[in-house]
């Protein structure tokens, strides 16, 4: 094995976090590690009675008739991480209020 390669890079137990470009703001970006972000996110989702299922760095969430995703991503060319929130179903105004509330409670 090449000593310059990360040993965990190909290990399925350590999934690679996606690096994507997306619209982000100061409420959804942080230098906190993804593991800490996941724990904070789970607490906030539970506090707001949102049902969720995590798979790697993606949470599929449901609150009433609103279905949405929350993904932890790495920001390009920065040593920071962000949350990408995406509504899949439900009223967009209810989703907007919920996502704003979740973002502010995360304390990233």
């Amino acid at each position: 094995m090449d000593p310059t390669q990360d040993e965990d890079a190909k290990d399925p137990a350590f999934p690679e976090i996606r690096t994507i470009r997306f619209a982000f703001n100061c409420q959804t970006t942080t230098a906190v590690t993804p593991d800490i972000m996941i724990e904070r996110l789970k607490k906030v989702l539970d506090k707001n009675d949102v049902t969720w299922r995590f798979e790697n760095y993606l949470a599929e969430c449901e609150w009433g008739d609103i279905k949405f995703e929350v993904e932890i991503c790495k920001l390009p060319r920065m040593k920071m991480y962000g949350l990408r929130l995406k509504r899949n179903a439900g009223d967009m105004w209810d989703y907007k209020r919920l996502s704003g509330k979740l973002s502010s409670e995360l304390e990233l």
Side-chain angles (χ1 to χ4, degrees):
M1 176 180 230
D2 184 357
T4 60
Q5 273 187 322
D6 184 5
E7 291 179 28
D8 299 329
K10 302 295 182 201
D11 187 347
F14 294 93
E16 188 172 321
I17 194 165
R18 287 191 333 150
T19 301
I20 62 172
R21 289 185 181 167
F22 64 99
F24 57 89
N25 62 38
C26 61
Q27 283 189 321
T28 60
T29 58
T30 183
V32 172
T33 65
D35 295 331
I36 294 172
M37 288 177 71
I38 288 172
E39 291 306 313
R40 287 183 185 175
L41 183 58
K42 286 178 180 179
K43 286 178 187 174
V44 169
L45 292 173
D46 287 340
K47 178 181 172 185
N48 288 282
D49 297 322
V50 176
T51 56
W52 50 267
R53 182 176 63 87
F54 261 95
E55 186 174 317
N56 299 329
Y57 297 105
L58 177 69
E60 294 177 355
C61 305
E62 190 171 336
W63 184 73
D65 66 340
I66 300 171
K67 294 180 181 172
F68 61 100
E69 297 176 350
V70 181
E71 183 178 12
I72 297 172
C73 305
K74 185 168 182 347
L75 300 178
R77 296 182 298 277
M78 299 175 81
K79 294 181 181 180
M80 295 184 76
Y81 298 94
L83 290 179
R84 182 187 64 84
L85 293 109
K86 178 185 174 191
R87 179 182 63 93
N88 293 332
D91 183 68
M92 86 174 149
W93 297 111
D94 288 340
Y95 167 75
K96 181 178 166 101
R97 282 189 290 276
L98 177 64
S99 64
K101 183 177 181 187
L102 297 175
S103 296
S104 66
E105 291 180 10
L106 275 170
E107 300 175 4
L108 293 179

